[in-house]
Amino acid sequence: MIKLLKDEEKRTVLFLAISFISVVISFLNVGDLPFDVAWLAILLCGIPIIKGAVVGLVTEFDIKADVLVSIALIAAVIIGEIFAAGEVAFIMAIGAYLEERTVAKARAGIEKLVHLTPTTARVARNGEEVIVPAEQVKVGDILRVLAGETIAVDGIIINGQTSVNQAVMTGESLPVDKSEGDEVYSGTVNQYGTFEMKATKVGEDSSLQRMIRLVQSADAGKAKIVGIADRWATWIVVIALLSAVATWLMTDEIIRAVTILVVFCPCALVLATPTAIMAGIGNATKFGILIREGDALERLSAVKRIAFDKTGTLTYGKPDVAAVESFNPSLTVAELLSLTASAELRSEHPLGKAIVTHYKLASNPSLPEPSDFQMLAGRGVSALVDGRRILAGNVELLGDNSILLPPTIVDKADTYRNDGCTIIFVSVDGEPSGFIALSDTLRPDAVNVVRKIEKLGVKNVLLTGDNRQAASHMAKIAGIQDIHTDCLPENKLAIIEEYQSRGDLVCMVGDGVNDAPALKKAHVGIAMGGIGSDIAVEAADIALVGDDIKSIPHLLALAKRTMNTIKFNMAISMALNFVAIILAMAGVLGPVVGALVHNAGSVAVIINSSLLLHWKENKK
């Protein structure tokens, strides 16, 4: 399929090149040829236009700009004005080619989502554990999930403790501890412990399958932008025909009528949008912005809100140590951090790795090796460091070891929790000794980006799967007032639908698989192209190649500038056409000169659009 598309594009470029040469030769009247070589342009560029116009009229009664072009071509040929016909055919073919280049091809994002679907599941039947295809799992079946496996269906844990990576569903940066009675979702990954679960939603009802359907429905429901010339085509055709017929009847000169049809051809109008959009796309590329959908800039210029995902978009999506608090008089903060980092040295948990990384960056990179290391799923770690028993984990871990946290530690930890931090409590030799607070890190440009977006008249929204405490803290720092938390993919999609039903068109910025439905549903979707998942990028209209959100205000301003350029292009083309029509009616212009004059509008449009390539927003 790709090879066929490339072959077709090569053929189109070849036809355009031949047509251009033939039109130039015809205009300069080079050589003593037995026929006007502009016929090549008519055959290679004009026939496809006429064919498309006829098919559209007959099958759908669809009047587009190519209907008027076809009439002008045929009329010019009938009266022997071959150059005029060839020139119009060539310009229209150029416009169609540019438009095709800006229209995105079908995306493969849904296929990649399907590949995430687990194919098998471990089911307990008749006292035995059997591996069955995931689609054969029934509601009520008992499943066993090992560490590292993808959960096949939605269900509730009935035995065991673990940590589950739910990024595919919620976008949360950290694994979520799970124990008996907790819900788990299909497509999420069991990271550490082994557990048993009871299936509650299977097959098409599972969370992952629902998300796939959301992506499909959101894409189908997004309206496609119609070309400006085609939008007004019916009126253009009617006015042109009436003007031509009236002139013919009043002057009895058919050549004037044909000239009106030629100068009325919306060549510059057809070029107004694609040339500006292609120049805008070229400008965006310089700022590390990949525009995947041709009409994305046109749509982006109309958005009223920008909805940000939090993790990986406004933040880096990686935990970092925010604070270390020691409540043991015999341990300094540095000593508590060192003991905890040593205990976590062999941990595979992201929080443990973050503590070790922080220690190595902040002080001596060497750490004493832990002994008797145990990783306790859903709880934390236990290890001997320099002969001292270290426990690092959650409240449940200390409770399991009969260690009670004094109110002073609990109260202090709550202040960090209110700021969205995750707390790792630490005990040394059975004594509660302090805690380490970890949190996601806001991107340094986030505050400035939010402020600039507000200045452009667009409101900021936060849509995240994180809890309200973590989200509110980051939103407050960034300066975002409108916050929606604990969002699953369908929640994000529903919120965007609600905004857009009120006339507030939304641009969604996200990075994870869970953002794919929202990216599709939004009027415009922007994905973080570097760290973002392939599925998020495939679902989006625009990708930020370097994950640099500071380019978003420029992108918004560029979209508005592009639309202003398109409107100016239309004004140039319509004003020139209006003057040419008056002159054609008066008999001042013939078909050949008329074609050249009206072609000047196309040149003006291209030059004006090219100015966008180097446009940059004025810094204030």
Side-chain angles (χ1 to χ4, degrees):
M1 178 61 73
I2 294 174
K3 186 178 184 300
L4 287 174
L5 288 172
K6 287 182 177 178
D7 289 344
E8 186 176 337
E9 184 172 354
K10 287 178 181 178
R11 186 166 57 250
T12 301
V13 171
L14 178 62
F15 285 1
L16 286 171
I18 294 171
S19 300
F20 174 72
I21 294 170
S22 69
V23 168
V24 171
I25 292 173
S26 174
F27 176 68
L28 298 175
N29 197 21
V30 176
D32 188 15
L33 300 173
F35 66 95
D36 192 326
V37 290
W39 271 109
L40 289 174
I42 296 171
L43 293 174
L44 297 177
C45 297
I47 296 300
I49 293 173
I50 295 171
K51 181 183 175 182
V54 171
V55 170
L57 275 173
V58 172
T59 60
E60 301 176 20
F61 197 67
D62 190 12
I63 300 176
K64 293 184 178 179
D66 55 8
V67 173
L68 177 57
V69 176
S70 301
I71 295 170
L73 281 174
I74 294 169
V77 169
I78 289 174
I79 67 169
E81 296 292 348
I82 306 304
F83 167 76
E87 185 266 348
V88 169
F90 172 70
I91 292 295
M92 292 301 295
I94 282 283
Y97 174 68
L98 291 177
E99 215 159 10
E100 285 176 10
R101 286 294 302 270
T102 62
V103 175
K105 302 296 185 282
R107 306 299 178 198
I110 293 174
E111 290 181 15
K112 292 190 176 183
L113 264 178
V114 172
H115 291 160
L116 287 177
T117 307
T119 56
T120 60
R122 300 173 185 274
V123 180
R125 287 180 179 169
N126 301 320
E128 294 183 2
E129 182 183 295
V130 294
I131 297 178
V132 302
E135 60 267 22
Q136 292 183 12
V137 177
K138 300 175 182 177
V139 173
D141 278 349
I142 305 301
L143 280 69
R144 191 164 183 255
V145 185
L146 305 183
E149 290 186 340
T150 301
I151 300 169
V153 297
D154 292 9
I156 295 175
I157 295 177
I158 58 173
N159 185 26
Q161 297 170 344
T162 186
S163 292
V164 177
N165 184 336
Q166 298 188 150
V168 69
M169 293 304 299
T170 66
E172 291 171 289
S173 56
L174 300 175
V176 178
D177 293 335
K178 301 280 187 178
S179 57
E180 292 180 18
D182 288 334
E183 238 183 331
V184 289
Y185 307 107
S186 63
T188 59
V189 181
N190 178 29
Q191 291 217 296
Y192 306 113
T194 297
F195 65 88
E196 292 181 348
M197 59 176 282
K198 184 177 182 179
T200 57
K201 293 179 181 178
V202 302
E204 293 299 312
D205 293 328
S206 69
S207 299
L208 187 60
Q209 292 300 320
R210 287 203 313 273
M211 186 162 69
I212 291 171
R213 290 198 300 276
L214 287 174
V215 172
Q216 291 171 327
S217 64
D219 189 37
K222 185 186 287 184
K224 302 299 180 185
I225 305 297
V226 180
I228 291 174
D230 286 338
R231 207 180 298 162
W232 296 349
T234 303
W235 289 107
I236 291 173
V237 170
V238 171
I239 294 170
L241 288 176
L242 288 175
S243 300
V245 170
T247 301
W248 186 12
L249 293 175
M250 292 172 64
T251 63
D252 200 28
E253 292 183 31
I254 192 171
I255 196 165
R256 293 195 189 187
V258 172
T259 303
I260 289 172
L261 292 176
V262 169
V263 298
F264 227 127
C265 280
C267 295
L269 201 59
V270 167
L271 291 172
T273 299
T275 55
I277 287 177
M278 288 193 74
I281 289 173
N283 180 301
T285 303
K286 297 176 183 179
F287 290 83
I289 303 166
L290 174 63
I291 296 178
R292 296 162 49 81
E293 297 280 357
D295 60 350
L297 285 175
E298 189 174 357
R299 285 186 273 123
L300 187 60
S301 67
V303 300
K304 300 291 181 64
R305 293 179 183 268
I306 285 196
F308 286 97
D309 173 50
K310 183 183 80 69
T311 308
T313 304
L314 280 181
T315 68
Y316 285 112
K318 295 180 181 179
D320 191 18
V321 173
V324 181
E325 296 281 355
S326 175
F327 290 82
N328 188 329
S330 64
L331 289 175
T332 65
V333 167
E335 289 170 338
L336 183 69
L337 175 63
S338 176
L339 288 171
T340 309
S342 291
E344 295 279 11
L345 193 58
R346 298 289 168 254
S347 173
E348 292 298 318
H349 199 286
L351 292 177
K353 289 182 176 180
I355 292 171
V356 173
T357 300
H358 178 81
Y359 175 82
K360 288 183 176 180
L361 290 174
S363 53
N364 194 322
S366 63
L367 279 169
E369 283 286 334
S371 59
D372 193 24
F373 173 80
Q374 295 179 64
M375 186 159 181
L376 306 166
R379 291 294 191 263
V381 298
S382 171
L384 281 175
V385 178
D386 291 336
R388 309 176 83 172
R389 172 61 63 184
I390 308 298
L391 295 177
N394 54 24
V395 175
E396 287 76 14
L397 174 65
L398 271 60
D400 291 344
N401 289 271
S402 302
I403 300 172
L404 296 177
L405 289 169
T408 52
I409 295 181
V410 174
D411 292 343
K412 188 67 174 178
D414 284 344
T415 63
Y416 286 100
R417 278 204 189 94
N418 292 336
D419 288 338
C421 292
T422 300
I423 306 298
I424 300 295
F425 291 102
V426 183
S427 78
V428 180
D429 292 330
E431 293 294 327
S433 298
F435 62 82
I436 296 177
L438 298 99
S439 69
D440 202 351
T441 308
L442 194 71
R443 291 177 183 269
D445 298 313
V447 176
N448 198 32
V449 166
V450 168
R451 191 179 71 250
K452 284 185 175 181
I453 289 172
E454 293 279 355
K455 282 186 176 180
L456 289 168
V458 179
K459 296 179 181 178
N460 294 281
V461 181
L462 184 65
L463 297 181
T464 178
D466 278 9
N467 63 69
R468 186 154 193 89
Q469 285 182 333
S472 298
H473 178 65
M474 289 297 178
K476 184 178 179 181
I477 298 173
I480 299 176
Q481 306 297 323
D482 197 351
I483 309 168
H484 300 270
T485 59
D486 301 303
C487 294
L488 291 174
E490 53 260 47
N491 302 133
K492 291 184 179 181
L493 191 144
I495 291 165
I496 289 173
E497 278 185 332
E498 183 182 348
Y499 279 128
Q500 296 191 154
S501 67
R502 301 201 303 254
D504 282 1
L505 298 178
V506 177
C507 169
M508 176 70 193
V509 186
D511 73 300
V513 176
N514 65 300
D515 295 320
L519 289 168
K520 278 288 188 185
K521 186 65 182 178
H523 200 57
V524 182
I526 300 177
M528 306 294 281
I531 63 167
S533 82
D534 289 345
I535 293 168
V537 173
E538 292 290 352
D541 305 298
I542 299 169
L544 304 180
V545 178
D547 293 325
D548 195 353
I549 61 170
K550 74 170 179 283
S551 59
I552 292 178
H554 172 78
L555 180 60
L556 280 173
L558 176 64
K560 294 179 185 297
R561 179 75 177 194
T562 300
M563 281 309 296
N564 288 336
T565 298
I566 290 172
K567 292 171 183 176
F568 188 69
N569 285 346
M570 290 168 55
I572 291 174
S573 61
M574 294 178 74
L576 194 60
N577 273 19
F578 178 76
V579 172
I581 289 164
I582 299 299
L583 294 176
M585 286 180 172
V588 176
L589 295 181
V592 173
V593 178
L596 291 174
V597 170
H598 121 276
N599 192 33
S602 301
V603 174
V605 161
I606 293 170
I607 292 173
N608 186 49
S609 294
S610 68
L611 297 177
L612 273 174
L613 283 168
H614 305 289
W615 178 82
K616 192 173 183 180
E617 185 185 11
N618 291 328
K619 302 270 185 183
K620 290 185 180 179

